[in-house]
Structures are given as structure tokens and as C-alpha cells.
Amino acid sequence: GILQHPDGTVLKQLQPPPRGPREQEFYNKVYDSDCCDSILLELREYLPKYFGVWSPPTAPNDTYLKLEDVTRKFNKPCIMDVKIGQKSYDPYASAEKIQQQVSKYPLMEEIGFLVLGMRVYHVSSDSYETQNQHYGRSLTKETVKDGISKFFHNGYCLRKDAIAASIQKIEKILEWFEGQKQLNFYASSLLFVYEGSCQATTVRLSDVTLAEKRGVPKGLLSGGDILEYNNNIRVINSTENGKIEASVSKGLSKFYALHKKAYSKRHHSQLSLKVENLEEDNVWKSSTCITQEHLNGNVIPQLEKVFCHMPAEIKESANVEVRMIDFAHVFPSNTKDEGYIYGLKNLITVLQNILDN
């Protein structure tokens, strides 16, 4: 597995020959300080940064590739590994190896990719759901769209912002592949990472400038209360006896109990949420009323409408990384890598279908 170095990088143990030395040679070539090849220089943008090799003092014969930890900047990283290409074996593989790889996932040649695993943060339960490679191999042409959409669902809603950002990043990688004929990649993967917790955003009704600075809509709460959404969904409501704070990060029961306590003192009160775009020529409005009877099960869907389905132009851009990883089977070539290109295009199509539907 991948180990973490105290300096914040990760360590990938070098595989036995020829795979390990081949991957090391690939990184050395791309990250050579004297490299002036524009194709390879651009490729660096799509890889984890490479910091050479490392060996532990207690085992000098063990060699590790020292790489950037792509997940390091995320608070609640959601991670998916997708193998790309129509073949998961290289041109020099034995007949036995080819048969073994094809039998593992015969659909790879047809759709051009395979989900190797995923780890998804669910806001609703403040926990992670993990799926291994057996989950990916169980997906068919008919179920692969739903199988991948699972990675972008946080328990409340589909993270369309993360899907859109992922598509943009894959398209950049596809552009690179369309423009190069130097290298062919086999059994290589794309690593997807996005922030599972919502972007920290606070909107105060009485402070229009704050809303304008952050480029988000004004949130209207009765009495000038604060509406904050970040890792948790929190509603802070002023009452006569002070402030009642409710959080749904640990479960809905606490959220409902606290709200019932707050609202029992004023049966006819209601909380209005209004979201307005500050643009004069492009007004989008959403108005939701949460009354006492809504508290039995409709609060979360109503909040979801406001926060999970905001128009793209007023929603913060998702924090997403898509990087190429695993280079034990990269070979020189004088033709385009059609298998990898085919897989990228199909993956983009699937993600676009998830987004559109």
C-alpha cells in the first residue's frame, strides 16, 4: 500500500522488476531537471509531483517512490481510482497474463475503463463508505453510470459541482493525449479526489458586502440570524432565551429535537429562506418556508433544494483533483494512445450523462 512520510509526501514501494524500475524511469524522465520537451513538461500538470526515491534507514535496500499526497489539502477527501484504457495488460504480456486480465473484467475493452475502488464521505452520517475493486468489476454497461454516480453522492444530494469540475479536468488530460505520440499507457489509472464537506461559507443578512465579496447569494433569515453551511448544516436561530444551535452532522434526530425545542415556544413562527442573486439582470429566486409541521421530515429536503441545487453561476467551484497514477506499464510509441483516449471519452460521456440526468 501507500505509506505517508512525516513531511507530508506519500511513499509507494518500488515493485519488482521490470515494473518498478520502469515506473521509476518514467518519473525520472518526466521530472528531469534538464527536460525541455513541451509534451513532458505539460504532462507534469496531470501527475503527482515526484520527489525522487527514498529508503528507510533501517532497510536501505527497500526503495520507495516519493510522491505528492494529492489528498493532503482536503478536509474530507472523497477518493476514486479508475483504470483507463481498453487493455489492462501491456504489449509484452504473456498469453497467461492476458487471459488473466481479460477474465477479471471482460467489459474493459468495450467501455475503456474500470472502477478499482472508491471512498465516499457521507455528510448525513459523518462517515465514509468504501467500495473495493469487486464492486467495480460487478458493474455492467447498464449499471456503470449508477455505479460511478455513487461516488458523487454525499448522502444528501448529488455533487453536480464535483462532477462538472471532474469532467473539465479529464478533458484537459484528453487534450494532452490527443496531441502526443510519444507514450502509450497500459494499466494506468486516474485518481479522483474532491472535498466531501461543503465549502465553508457564511452569509449574514445584515451584511450585504460579505455576500458580495464571497460571490454567493444573500441568505435571508428572520431576525437577522446567521445561516452557515460548511462541513455541517447549522442553523443558528435567536430566541428570547438566548440562542439554540442545531447541527445535523451527527444525525437528524439531534437536529429535529433541538428545532422542536426552539419552535415549541412560538407555535406560529416560521423560518423563511430566500436566496437572491445579486445580479440585476439575472435574477434567480428560491423561497422556502419551514414551519412546525415541516420539522417531522422535510427540513433536510428543503435545505437541500437551497444548497445542493443552486445555479452554477452562484455556487462556489468544487475543490477537485484528477491525476494520472500508476506507470509500471508505460512504453515509447510513435502513435496516439487510442485505447487510453477511448477510455477517457467514454468516461466523460458517462459523467456527462450523470450530470444531465
Side-chain angles (χ1 to χ4, degrees), residues 105 133-140 143:
Y105 195 62
Q133 58 184 319
H134 298 292
Y135 169 79
R137 287 176 186 156
S138 72
L139 299 177
T140 64
T143 63

Side-chain angles (χ1 to χ4, degrees), residues 30-46 176:
V30 174
Y31 283 94
D32 189 335
S33 58
D34 295 327
C35 177
C36 55
D37 184 331
S38 60
I39 295 293
L40 298 183
L41 291 174
E42 185 188 346
L43 179 58
R44 293 180 185 180
E45 296 178 32
Y46 313 121
W176 181 85

Side-chain angles (χ1 to χ4, degrees), residues 328-340:
H329 303 276
V330 179
F331 296 92
S333 174
N334 54 13
T335 61
K336 284 186 181 181
D337 192 340
E338 297 295 351
Y340 203 104

Side-chain angles (χ1 to χ4, degrees), residues 33-323:
S33 58
D34 295 327
C35 177
C36 55
D37 184 331
S38 60
I39 295 293
L40 298 183
L41 291 174
E42 185 188 346
L43 179 58
R44 293 180 185 180
E45 296 178 32
Y46 313 121
L47 312 182
K49 290 184 178 66
Y50 174 61
F51 301 101
V53 294
W54 178 88
S55 296
T58 52
N61 292 328
D62 290 347
T63 304
Y64 293 82
L65 299 172
K66 202 164 185 285
L67 301 166
E68 173 190 5
D69 181 358
V70 180
T71 70
R72 184 176 173 81
K73 68 179 181 181
F74 295 88
N75 179 31
K76 298 290 184 181
C78 297
I79 305 166
M80 178 169 67
D81 185 335
V82 182
K83 187 181 287 189
I84 305 292
Q86 291 179 280
K87 297 177 180 177
S88 57
Y89 54 88
D90 66 49
Y92 303 99
S94 64
E96 182 183 3
K97 177 70 173 179
I98 293 173
Q99 181 58 40
Q100 177 201 50
Q101 289 298 311
V102 171
S103 63
K104 276 185 179 180
Y105 195 62
L107 201 59
M108 185 122 184
E109 186 169 354
E110 188 173 350
I111 67 174
F113 62 85
L114 164 63
V115 177
L116 292 180
M118 65 175 70
R119 185 168 178 260
V120 188
Y121 176 70
H122 283 180
V123 181
S124 51
S125 58
D126 189 24
S127 62
Y128 281 94
E129 177 186 355
T130 303
Q131 301 289 351
N132 61 20
Q133 58 184 319
H134 298 292
Y135 169 79
R137 287 176 186 156
S138 72
L139 299 177
T140 64
K141 275 196 304 180
E142 292 70 32
T143 63
V144 69
K145 187 179 84 168
D146 291 337
I148 289 180
S149 68
K150 193 183 196 73
F151 173 64
F152 294 99
H153 204 287
N154 66 5
Y156 284 136
C157 63
L158 188 67
R159 286 289 303 277
K160 290 191 172 186
D161 57 334
I163 299 173
S166 297
I167 291 172
Q168 289 179 349
K169 290 183 179 290
I170 300 171
E171 285 175 340
K172 293 294 290 180
I173 295 172
L174 176 58
E175 281 180 27
W176 181 85
F177 271 92
E178 293 279 20
Q180 70 90 24
K181 295 181 179 180
Q182 295 186 30
L183 299 168
N184 278 4
F185 295 73
Y186 302 90
S188 186
S189 291
L190 287 184
L191 183 71
F192 292 77
V193 190
Y194 73 87
E195 180 55 67
S197 60
C198 295
Q199 299 296 315
T201 304
T202 302
V203 181
R204 188 190 297 269
L205 234 168
S206 57
D207 192 350
V208 181
T209 56
L210 176 62
E212 288 172 340
K213 280 179 185 175
R214 294 194 59 85
V216 298
K218 259 173 29 175
L220 294 185
L221 290 181
S222 58
D225 298 335
I226 300 170
L227 180 65
E228 175 185 301
Y229 54 107
N230 47 29
N231 306 5
N232 316 317
I233 298 176
R234 298 158 63 89
V235 177
I236 304 171
N237 195 348
S238 301
T239 65
E240 303 155 303
N241 299 326
K243 289 190 174 180
I244 301 295
E245 179 175 317
S247 170
V248 295
S249 65
K250 300 298 182 184
L252 303 184
S253 58
K254 183 179 176 185
F255 180 84
Y256 296 138
L258 286 169
H259 273 77
K260 284 179 181 177
K261 182 178 176 184
Y263 280 89
S264 64
K265 299 191 178 183
R266 45 180 190 177
H267 301 288
H268 303 292
S269 65
Q270 62 183 12
L271 174 62
S272 294
L273 301 182
K274 294 181 182 178
V275 183
E276 296 183 4
N277 191 357
L278 300 177
E279 298 281 341
E280 291 182 4
D281 300 326
N282 184 19
V283 178
W284 173 82
K285 296 182 179 180
S286 171
S287 181
T288 306
C289 284
I290 303 177
T291 55
Q292 182 66 37
E293 56 267 22
H294 287 119
L295 295 176
N296 294 324
N298 291 333
V299 174
I300 296 309
Q302 299 294 355
L303 288 175
E304 177 183 315
K305 285 178 185 176
V306 177
F307 300 129
C308 293
H309 301 289
M310 285 185 186
E313 65 268 19
I314 59 170
K315 191 166 186 182
E316 292 189 354
S317 59
N319 193 0
V320 174
E321 289 286 353
V322 179
R323 304 288 186 93

